[in-house]
Amino acid sequence: MVFRVTRRGLLGFAAAAATSVAADNAFAALRVPLARPGMLATPGKQAGVAARELHLINTHTDEKLKIVYWSEDRYLPDALTEIDRLMRDHRSGEVHEIDRALLDTLHAMKTKLDTSEAFHIISGYRSPSTNAQMRENNAGVAKKSYHMRGMAVDIRVPGRELSYLRNAALDIAAGGVGYYPRSDFIHVDVGPVRQWGMRSA
């Protein structure tokens, strides 16, 4: 059998291919490209954002912070210092640098959730000793937790269903997402992309 390719057929195929590529590009544009650990992208080139702001409340100390942490193509050192302090180990008082990719993930979640409410921080950085103590009472606490590297945070957002918060984090796909509905928080980290859910924590 011999197939004849006409000019009309070629034009039709080209048009279909162009439509498919355009659709793929439009879908890709909906996703917010995030910085990954060790591969920090330039946030200013992500979705046309001129500045990045976070609103945080430490649920244990009641400290509040609403601050622009990135502007004019750079992270702002003073703002990062304030964020690191707010997200410190509240048990020991130890302060550790919070991974910038984690901050970018929270900002992307804030944008996706379209909320002006603060992220309530249940647990940010954890010192190794604090993590070990928590493991003694809860087998679900990871021995090599990303919290000890400033790469994880446990959060909730007033006015947003926890499942909705989890789905937003999953859609961004920047790292791990843990779902703890009985304790009313989700875990977000910038380690490998994965997910898990527990009935209690």
Side-chain angles (χ1 to χ4, degrees):
M1 180 179 295
V2 178
F3 292 95
R4 295 182 62 192
V5 179
T6 65
R7 178 178 174 77
R8 177 179 295 178
L10 284 172
L11 290 174
F13 177 79
T19 299
S20 177
V21 170
D24 289 344
N25 289 341
F27 178 77
L30 294 175
R31 304 193 67 84
V32 180
L34 295 174
R36 300 288 297 159
M39 297 170 55
L40 292 178
T42 304
K45 299 185 183 301
Q46 298 173 12
V49 175
R52 293 190 167 220
E53 181 182 72
L54 287 175
H55 188 187
L56 310 171
I57 295 177
N58 186 316
T59 60
H60 300 282
T61 65
D62 201 35
E63 293 170 277
K64 301 174 176 65
L65 185 63
K66 188 173 185 179
I67 196 165
V68 172
Y69 71 93
W70 185 95
S71 180
E72 298 181 356
D73 293 328
R74 70 186 186 95
Y75 292 98
L76 306 179
D78 290 345
L80 297 177
T81 296
E82 291 193 55
I83 292 173
D84 292 345
R85 176 168 175 74
L86 182 138
M87 294 178 66
R88 68 188 180 278
D89 183 334
H90 69 272
R91 294 174 177 83
S92 68
E94 293 179 57
V95 177
H96 188 282
E97 180 179 292
I98 301 300
D99 196 297
R100 305 335 180 199
L102 183 62
L103 303 183
D104 290 342
T105 299
L106 290 177
H107 184 270
M109 290 181 64
K110 170 191 169 184
T111 301
K112 186 170 285 292
L113 292 166
D114 189 25
T115 180
S116 59
E117 293 288 345
F119 284 105
H120 285 204
I121 308 298
I122 290 91
S123 183
Y125 169 67
R126 288 182 201 152
S127 66
S129 59
T130 290
N131 201 72
Q133 291 172 8
M134 292 180 66
R135 274 180 56 80
E136 292 178 1
N137 299 318
N138 188 341
V141 174
K143 183 177 182 179
K144 297 182 178 180
S145 171
Y146 281 103
H147 285 279
M148 295 190 296
R149 297 162 64 181
M151 294 172 62
V153 63
D154 298 336
I155 55 173
R156 69 174 68 99
V157 176
R160 290 291 184 271
E161 292 290 338
L162 198 66
S163 59
Y164 187 47
L165 189 60
R166 173 199 59 190
N167 291 343
L170 290 173
D171 191 50
I172 291 168
V177 179
Y179 183 51
Y180 299 87
R182 288 191 178 178
S183 297
D184 191 27
F185 71 82
I186 70 164
H187 165 102
V188 179
D189 67 50
V190 285
V193 176
R194 65 212 188 283
Q195 62 175 291
W196 66 94
M198 300 178 68
R199 294 181 178 179
S200 61

